Amino acid sequence: MASLKADFDELIRRIESGREFAHASFEPIFYLVFPPSELLEAKRLMPAWKAKLTNAGWQVETFSIAEEIADILQKAPLRKVWMEADRKAPLAWDRTNASLANALTAQGRLQARLDERLSALEGRSSTIMLVTDLEALHPYMRIGAIEAQLQGKFHVPTVFFYPGARTGKTRLKFLGFYPEDGNYRSVHVGG
């Protein structure tokens, strides 16, 4: 099994060589796929990876899914209602998760934030975007639901750090237990 460090180095080589036009996309979308059991190791390596990219001449931008979700839910108009409902029925996970997922997807809130960041980076050729903390999407949604809606918006290399498993050249299993999804627009390394 390849190490995270070796997979990251391979990913950077692929980014630097650029994307070819493929049947589904030529946008610079890349996934570093790693087993969920290596999630903490990936987080531990993140500062070193950012430094390596910076030393190679990249301007590194980070989009933390966890931070964005926390901000959206903290500012949600229904937050007080959710808190009270949680006090009354703390084990009603299905209802709670559905409400929180709706807060993230209604009007494309989370998607809009990523779109805004990507738009701000357009034309900055030495910039790379790292999308981290994808595990925070569980149990609300998967990244494919967001990425698919942003077709044509990826103008700088964008790397999604994906805790999951590859089940084929273009298929991924989020966190290793969700049903597999096809993802034909991106280059997958690792997993």
Side-chain angles (χ1 to χ4, degrees):
M1 177 198 265
S3 73
L4 273 171
K5 290 178 183 178
D7 287 344
F8 183 79
D9 290 343
E10 172 65 20
L11 176 80
I12 298 310
R13 280 192 293 278
R14 289 192 184 192
I15 290 170
E16 288 173 345
S17 68
R19 288 285 310 264
E20 298 175 0
F21 181 75
H23 67 281
S25 175
F26 58 91
E27 291 180 282
I29 304 168
F30 302 84
Y31 277 58
L32 181 62
V33 182
F34 53 89
S37 62
E38 294 185 21
L39 183 60
L40 292 178
E41 180 66 8
K43 289 184 181 299
R44 188 186 71 71
L45 289 169
M46 190 63 67
W49 288 339
K50 288 179 183 178
K52 187 173 190 170
L53 288 166
T54 300
N55 290 338
W58 292 99
Q59 179 180 339
V60 180
E61 296 285 332
T62 304
F63 184 88
S64 167
I65 295 288
E67 290 174 10
E68 298 299 328
I69 287 174
D71 188 58
I72 290 168
L73 297 180
Q74 184 70 32
K75 295 175 180 173
L78 294 175
R79 182 172 168 72
K80 289 181 182 178
V81 173
W82 297 334
M83 299 300 281
E84 185 58 34
D86 191 47
R87 274 191 279 284
K88 290 179 181 176
L91 299 178
W93 293 106
D94 290 342
R95 185 177 43 151
T96 300
N97 287 342
S99 294
L100 296 175
N102 186 51
L104 298 174
T105 59
Q107 293 98 37
R109 286 184 180 102
L110 186 57
Q111 172 188 321
R113 288 179 178 215
L114 181 54
D115 184 9
E116 182 179 308
R117 284 292 297 281
L118 290 168
S119 294
L121 299 177
E122 188 172 357
R124 293 171 53 185
S125 61
S126 63
T127 299
I128 188 168
M129 168 77 89
L130 307 180
V131 182
T132 63
D133 307 317
L134 268 64
E135 66 279 1
L137 292 171
H138 169 73
Y140 313 120
M141 65 177 65
R142 292 180 287 210
I143 194 63
I146 296 171
E147 182 203 322
Q149 300 301 314
L150 295 174
Q151 189 164 358
K153 305 283 182 140
F154 293 89
H155 303 287
V156 300
T158 304
V159 178
F160 291 89
F161 290 85
Y162 189 93
R166 285 176 71 171
T167 58
K169 183 175 172 117
T170 61
R171 299 189 69 75
L172 300 169
K173 254 182 131 165
F174 183 55
L175 295 174
F177 63 82
Y178 275 97
E180 63 184 8
D181 284 328
N183 185 322
Y184 303 96
R185 295 178 50 208
S186 57
V187 172
H188 302 159
V189 175

